Amino acid sequence: MTRAILLRALTKKKLVLSNAHRSISFTNLSRCISTLILAEHESGSIKPQTVSTVVAANHLGESSSVSLLLAGSGSSLQEAASQAASCHPSVSEVLVADSDRFEYPLAEPWANLVDFVRQQRDYSHILASSSSFGKNILPRVAALLDVSPVTDVVKILGSNEFIRPIYAGNALCRVRYTGAGPCVLTIRTTSFPVTPITESKKATISQIDLSKFKEDAVSRSRYVGQSTQDTERPDLGSARVVITGGRALKSVENFKMIEKLAEKLGGAVGATRAAVDAGYVPNDLQVGQTGKIVAPELYMAFGVSGAIQHLAGIKDSKVIVAVNKDADAPIFQVADYGLVGDLFEVIPELLEKLPEKK
Amino acid sequence: MKILVAVKRVVDYAVKIRVKPDKTGVDTQNVKMSMNPFCEIALEEALRIKEAGFAKEVVAVSIGPSQCVDTLRTGLAMGADRGIHVEASYSFLPLTIAKILKSLADVENPGLIFLGKQAIDDDCNQTGQMVAALLGWPQATFASKVVVLDKDKQSATVDREVDEGLETLSVDLPAVITTDLRLNQPRYATLPNIMKAKSKPIKKMTLEDLKVDIKSDIEIVEVTEPPKRKSGVIVSSVDELIYKLKNEAHVV
């Protein structure tokens, strides 16, 4: 039997659902890579983290196909699908699940949807970004498939070998997936930047037939509402410049200085956990081990001591600048440029002397 | 209603870890260990729900070697009613942990399972979601703010911290909730409670008791240190900083 026939025969028998004793390692067989990416979209277009996830999928090996799965309802979904079809030349198809059930990103119906789509075709890999959306849904998918996921991947060494950070990024763990089922990954998108796309290619768009999609008659989780801050500042996760304030800012009013500086440099505003806990800014600005991971070209931290958990979120920044009154603050050990001084004097001076953003 | 809380023993959050020279892992010998901060918050929330009259019993569970009993005693000292220690080696993957918790839930029939959103050692952020999937229960992850229980309708309203801000969900019980940092400030165990905790029961169980097979589909190849950033310089003025950012780093 050729390897390809053996592979198809074995996957058809759905050995992925058996217990550990019968799991077979495919590491020695050349796998045909077929990737399903759970996409995120908003207001009619694909989010940048999904495009980064497509870039990551390219590292898995000779990709036979990358399928983007979009779910939601109505015209903004169809618009997003159209945009998704040309978001990256590596995308071969866009699958669209249009139903009220997917109006909000609830983990239960979405995980069931991924499983439903997977049953139509044997994907070797299922990916999502490690956004709060991906982190919420993909481990649930993995458990439904009885496979161990690899979350927050920062480097892909092959179709089944990955590197992920542990201990707040103070160590890197290289792991090998040896299971028979699909390899389920969430991708740390700051590690897979998107380069400007010159090639234009339009993928096929197919509407998924949901008639056989079984869903609980009564949904046991319901979306109630959301509170988000409307801002003109660029998205924290993908901004070229990030200006962060710590608890030393002392008030909501003072934090406006950080915003002014961010505006001057065309950057996003970030905050430490302490600043969010103190109520100076909302939680979506938190940078760190359990907040957002950022990797801007320029990261400036004002009144930030540099706790391990905060540094976990900024280590991949190109240039780190720290301003703090305390010369012993740990942040100075990672900063490329450090200025020991009072931020309440330094920020106004910077605002005065910095050139306008490019 | 019973609440099951999973607690993990991890390297204390303030410890500066060291990667072992043989690259097999992180050095945890003679290093301070504590209850995972997210697990403390999970336990604290369970205790508050019980104190508000919505639950009768809080059961703390820990899975790992014998030292987990110390973590459970801390949990009992905080106010958990009893503990369960499932003996296991530390190298269990989250999927196996989730299967163990599922088996326990089948036996204990809790109305809520609380977990920390992630452990600060492996930073996986998977177990809660997996337990919910295996049980077929709804999940509310990264919970912050207040969890309100509607006793009649048997549901909980949860605010979640998501990338865009805060999202509010309503989940029917039984459900799985994973906790984020701002949910609450865990209480300190008082000395009288530490003494009382010594007589609270901790039941020992094994994987055989729970009929769980270990899932080993991920191998650790090696653990290394991340690349070190080259050391920076201290500048003496804003002018010097701007000069360097412009002409040396080319970022402004």
Side-chain angles (χ1 to χ4, degrees):
Chain A
M1 243 199 255
T2 66
R3 279 178 176 179
I5 296 171
L6 175 64
L7 177 61
R8 273 201 297 279
L10 287 168
T11 50
K12 276 208 169 79
K13 283 183 186 164
K14 304 245 182 249
L15 285 175
V16 303
L17 298 174
S18 66
N19 65 29
H21 297 305
R22 285 189 280 154
S23 79
I24 292 167
S25 168
F26 276 84
T27 47
N28 293 329
L29 296 178
S30 56
R31 281 176 95 148
C32 186
I33 312 286
S34 170
T35 306
L36 178 68
I37 296 179
L38 184 55
E40 296 175 63
H41 61 95
E42 188 180 45
S43 313
S45 48
I46 286 292
K47 289 196 184 175
Q49 48 263 44
T50 295
V51 188
S52 281
T53 309
V54 175
V55 170
N58 283 338
H59 291 256
L60 291 169
E62 278 165 44
S63 217
S64 62
S65 69
V66 173
S67 306
L68 288 185
L69 172 58
L70 272 73
S73 69
S75 59
S76 93
L77 167 69
Q78 299 298 338
E79 259 175 68
S82 181
Q83 195 256 329
S86 41
C87 74
H88 196 280
S90 300
V91 177
S92 23
E93 73 174 332
V94 175
L95 304 172
V96 183
D98 193 335
S99 162
D100 285 340
R101 278 174 286 207
F102 308 118
E103 195 182 348
Y104 302 108
L106 296 172
E108 302 82 8
W110 284 64
N112 288 342
L113 174 67
V114 174
D115 190 19
F116 177 73
V117 170
R118 180 204 63 86
Q119 285 172 34
Q120 319 286 313
R121 188 192 307 174
D122 282 319
Y123 293 97
S124 61
H125 294 75
I126 299 176
L127 271 56
S129 85
S130 65
S131 58
S132 54
F133 167 88
K135 287 193 281 208
N136 186 32
I137 298 174
L138 237 62
R140 190 177 178 113
V141 170
L144 292 178
L145 271 48
D146 196 30
V147 302
S148 294
V150 183
T151 48
D152 211 18
V153 170
V154 297
K155 199 160 184 182
I156 294 177
L157 302 166
S159 65
N160 64 346
E161 206 154 304
F162 315 101
I163 294 184
R164 60 180 301 275
I166 55 174
Y167 287 93
N170 286 301
L172 294 174
C173 192
R174 179 168 165 166
V175 297
R176 186 179 295 133
Y177 174 66
T178 58
C183 184
V184 177
L185 308 175
T186 63
I187 303 294
R188 182 182 278 202
T189 51
T190 50
S191 299
F192 296 92
V194 180
T195 45
I197 295 151
T198 46
E199 201 189 320
S200 94
K201 185 193 147 187
K202 202 154 170 83
T204 54
I205 302 175
S206 334
Q207 305 292 325
I208 299 172
D209 175 7
L210 294 169
S211 56
K212 294 216 176 69
F213 178 60
K214 259 186 281 189
E215 190 49 43
D216 300 327
V218 179
S219 179
R220 291 181 56 199
S221 72
R222 291 160 296 281
Y223 179 88
V224 172
Q226 168 165 275
S227 73
T228 54
Q229 300 285 318
D230 275 324
T231 176
E232 281 161 19
R233 301 265 56 76
D235 170 53
L236 189 50
S238 49
R240 193 192 73 88
V241 174
V242 174
I243 313 293
T244 285
R247 191 164 37 191
L249 268 304
K250 293 207 192 91
S251 72
V252 174
E253 205 42 52
N254 289 341
F255 225 91
K256 299 225 178 349
M257 287 168 50
I258 298 284
E259 283 171 36
K260 271 216 199 93
L261 187 55
E263 201 182 321
K264 178 105 194 221
L265 291 169
V269 175
T272 60
R273 177 196 166 183
V276 176
D277 283 354
Y280 305 152
V281 281
N283 69 290
D284 55 314
L285 299 188
Q286 182 173 323
V287 172
Q289 180 187 19
T290 70
K292 294 207 167 60
I293 307 290
V294 300
E297 277 187 31
L298 174 60
Y299 186 83
M300 299 185 82
F302 293 90
V304 172
S305 63
I308 298 171
Q309 294 78 14
H310 183 74
L311 298 184
I314 71 172
K315 283 205 243 214
D316 289 333
S317 309
K318 287 236 179 54
V319 176
I320 297 176
V321 173
V323 175
N324 197 306
K325 255 198 302 204
D326 177 9
D328 293 326
I331 189 99
F332 288 121
Q333 281 162 39
V334 296
D336 297 291
Y337 303 108
L339 178 56
V340 182
D342 186 343
L343 65 93
F344 290 104
E345 286 169 16
V346 172
I347 295 183
E349 202 180 332
L350 279 170
L351 281 167
E352 196 196 330
K353 294 178 174 174
L354 272 170
E356 286 299 322
K357 65 175 186 246
K358 289 192 205 155
Chain B
M1 174 177 77
K2 201 184 293 185
I3 305 180
L4 201 61
V5 184
V7 297
K8 187 178 183 185
R9 182 171 178 267
V10 297
V11 173
D12 186 83
Y13 79 94
V15 166
K16 212 160 178 187
I17 56 113
R18 209 177 59 91
V19 174
K20 285 196 259 195
D22 65 4
K23 296 190 185 171
T24 54
V26 161
D27 188 8
T28 54
Q29 298 272 44
N30 303 316
V31 144
K32 181 177 181 202
M33 305 293 277
S34 305
M35 189 186 293
N36 183 42
F38 292 95
C39 300
E40 275 187 324
I41 291 169
L43 182 52
E44 174 63 34
E45 197 62 24
L47 293 170
R48 290 186 189 191
I49 292 174
K50 180 188 162 192
E51 283 156 6
F54 291 108
K56 288 235 161 57
E57 196 184 22
V58 173
V59 183
V61 180
S62 199
I63 299 157
S66 56
Q67 295 94 322
C68 287
V69 171
D70 297 335
T71 313
L72 284 171
R73 287 275 168 230
T74 305
L76 295 171
M78 280 172 67
D81 298 289
R82 60 184 163 89
I84 300 176
H85 172 219
V86 180
E87 293 246 42
S89 79
Y90 256 124
S91 56
F92 280 4
L93 295 168
L95 184 53
T96 302
I97 302 288
K99 290 181 179 184
I100 293 170
L101 292 172
K102 184 226 182 257
S103 282
L104 276 172
D106 288 340
V107 168
E108 296 278 348
N109 287 310
L112 270 172
I113 301 180
F114 270 98
L115 295 92
K117 86 168 180 188
Q118 72 195 62
I120 61 170
D121 49 9
D122 56 30
D123 284 328
C124 280
N125 193 335
Q126 300 169 13
T127 311
Q129 295 84 309
M130 294 175 128
V131 175
L134 295 173
L135 286 165
W137 291 4
Q139 65 188 58
T141 56
F142 330 142
S144 73
K145 301 281 182 182
V146 176
V147 176
V148 173
L149 272 183
D150 182 328
K151 206 172 183 181
D152 296 318
K153 294 200 210 113
Q154 285 287 288
S155 69
T157 302
V158 183
D159 280 359
R160 304 176 54 228
E161 295 211 5
V162 294
D163 289 344
E164 301 79 20
L166 291 177
E167 179 188 89
T168 306
L169 296 185
S170 167
V171 291
D172 291 337
L173 304 189
V176 176
I177 297 179
T178 76
T179 62
D180 213 327
L181 289 174
R182 270 174 284 277
L183 179 55
N184 60 47
Q185 276 266 42
R187 67 196 66 187
Y188 290 110
T190 60
L191 192 51
N193 284 336
I194 294 172
M195 299 311 294
K196 267 194 243 169
K198 293 191 176 171
S199 55
K200 289 185 183 174
I202 293 181
K203 180 177 181 184
K204 275 208 174 356
M205 298 189 82
T206 64
L207 263 69
E208 288 77 48
D209 294 334
L210 295 165
K211 300 193 183 42
V212 170
D213 286 329
I214 299 174
K215 186 81 176 186
S216 308
D217 51 356
I218 292 188
E219 282 168 13
I220 294 180
V221 176
E222 66 172 11
V223 174
T224 53
E225 275 186 22
K228 277 193 175 31
R229 290 184 75 95
K230 62 176 176 51
S231 47
V233 293
I234 300 286
V235 298
S236 52
S237 68
V238 171
D239 290 320
E240 193 187 343
L241 175 63
I242 295 178
Y243 178 85
K244 285 205 189 281
L245 288 178
K246 207 168 163 193
N247 301 299
E248 215 172 78
H250 308 291
V251 284
V252 293

